[in-house]
Every structure is written in structure tokens, then in C-alpha cells.
Amino acid sequence: MRIGIIGAGRMAQSVGWLATQAGHEVMLSNSRGPASIRDLSQRIRCTAGTVYEAAEFGEVIFVAIYLQDYHAVPKAPLVEKTVINPQNYFPHLGRIAELDRGELTTAEFLARYLPGSRTVKALNSILVEDLIPDARPASAANRRALPIAGDDMEAKSTVSCFLDQIGYDTVDAGTLSEGWRFERCRPVYCRPLGKRELQEMLLATTPDSMVPEGHWYAYRALHG
Ligand SMILES: NC(=O)c1ccc[n+]([C@@H]2O[C@H](COP(=O)([O-])OP(=O)(O)OC[C@H]3O[C@@H](n4cnc5c(N)ncnc54)[C@H](OP(=O)(O)O)[C@@H]3O)[C@@H](O)[C@H]2O)c1
């Protein structure tokens, strides 16, 4: 499968590397142009392009830039495509009124900007530094599961299959509007959990279930 990545930072590099290891073709992109990431792409064994080229190249698009930079994502090439939204909302980088008011989930916010795309929330609930070390083959007993959410079943199936290929089980948390269940400061956010534990915790998460900022680092320090 061809994976177009918008962004070339930490998430883009880790997911890009896991994807090429799994046999996918990857194109990275950034705001400064392909020449600025040529060496990096060679190390990951992928190609570099402009943001528009990456959006056109990918059958699946991984949007690995900050949510506040959403306007850099080109709309036309993404119509009908599966778009993976790993973006978390950090208000200090710029406030988004609909998110502050709780009217939209982060995934709904991106999906609304990309009419006709098949947006799936995924890969937001894992720290970038855990992405490569926690990846395991499907047969592993202690495989980590990641939550996903989306309105398009086919796109969710594509993403679930992709996550399986790069080392993770998935738990479907429901539609894009249910994506809040694993956004920042929710109990499962960035917690290394197996499939059953993740399913149970997602079901038990209510709108009032919040954990303190950074609890995921404390959990990591305690449990390794
Ligand atoms: N870090 C984590 O642990 C983690 C975990 C889960 C999800 N996420 C989410 O993943 C996303 C990326 O995070 P990250 O940690 O990978 O950030 P990062 O390392 O800072 O990378 C951001 C990338 O975006 C590119 N970029 C910025 N503005 C752009 C634009 N207008 N057009 C194209 N590219 C642009 C930057 O390259 P240039 O500046 O060269 O353009 C850079 O390559 C965020 O939404 C974050 O919430 C992060």
C-alpha cells in the first residue's frame, strides 16, 4: 500500500519506518520542501515530496502535523481516501473554539475540514517514543492494542489492517464522535494496554472520566 505522510517529524518518521519495514511504500513531506528531508527519507527507505505530492501519492494519508496546522492539508487529493488522524489538541499551540466548547472531537474537526475523506482517528494514543519499541508481531502474547474511531467501516478496516502490519492490535471505539474516549487526559490515553483491558476501559470511560495531564508518563515510569 502507498502511505502518504504529511509531516516529517517524530511521528512521521516512526510510523514511516514501521510502514516501510512492513513492506509499504512511503512518502514523507513537510513545509520546507523535499530537499530538506532527502537524507532523512533515504534513511527510512522512503521518498520525499511536497505536501500535495504526498497527499496524491498515498492510498492512505497519515496527517502527522499539529492540529492547528490543519489548513496545510490539501483537500482535493484526499477525497475518498483513508486519512489517519493521530492529532491531539494542545490549546497552548492555539485555541480551537469548537474543541474548547466540546462540540467536536479532534477527528470530527479534521474530517469536517476534509469533505469526502474517510477520516479515522488512530495512533494518537501512544507516545512517539513507544511506537517502535512496543510494536510486536501478531503472534506475541503481550501485544499492545490501540484505539481507533471512524464513521467509515471500510476505512476503519484498512487502518486496523495497517496497524496489525506495523505491530498493534486495535479496538474500535465507535464513530468519530466517540473519539473523545481516547483523547488527551482520558484514562486510556497513551497507556500500554492489551486488547481486552483497552476494550473494558473504553467502555467504562464517561464524559467525566479525566486523568491529570502527564499521568501517562507517571504510568510509564512505574510500569516500564
Ligand atoms: N509526539 C508524540 O508523542 C505524539 C503521539 C501521538 C500523536 N501525536 C500527534 O502527531 C502529530 C505530530 O507530532 P510530532 O510529535 O511528530 O511533531 P513534530 O516532531 O514536531 O513534527 C511536526 C512535523 O510537521 C511538519 N510541519 C509543520 N507545519 C507544517 C506545514 N504547514 N506543512 C507541512 N508540514 C508541516 C514539521 O516540519 P517542518 O517544520 O519542516 O514543516 C514536522 O516535520 C501532532 O498532531 C501530535 O499531536 C504526537
Side-chain angles (χ1 to χ4, degrees), residues 6-12 29-32 36 51 63-67 69 71-72 86-90 123-129 189-190 217:
I6 300 178
R10 294 168 301 165
M11 285 296 284
S29 64
N30 67 350
S31 67
R32 288 173 293 151
S36 68
V51 168
V63 182
I65 60 178
Y66 280 88
L67 190 59
D69 294 323
H71 46 79
Q87 299 167 299
N88 293 305
Y89 177 43
F90 294 94
L123 284 162
N124 70 303
S125 187
I126 180 166
L127 296 171
V128 69
E129 51 265 46
Y189 180 70
C190 289
Y217 286 111

Side-chain angles (χ1 to χ4, degrees), residues 185-200:
C185 295
R186 297 298 181 178
V188 302
Y189 180 70
C190 289
R191 284 269 303 267
L193 299 166
K195 196 166 181 162
R196 182 177 292 186
E197 269 179 302
L198 177 58
Q199 262 163 347
E200 287 170 1

Side-chain angles (χ1 to χ4, degrees), residues 1 4 23 33-34 42-44 58 61 75 77 89 91 108-109 113-114 124 140 154 167 170 199 203 205 209-210:
M1 197 160 63
Q42 278 169 3
R43 285 201 297 278
I44 295 176
I61 310 300
K75 295 182 186 188
Y89 177 43
E108 286 178 306
F109 179 77
Y113 180 73
L114 298 173
N124 70 303
E154 201 181 323
T170 51
Q199 262 163 347
L203 280 174
T205 299
S209 311
M210 299 294 285

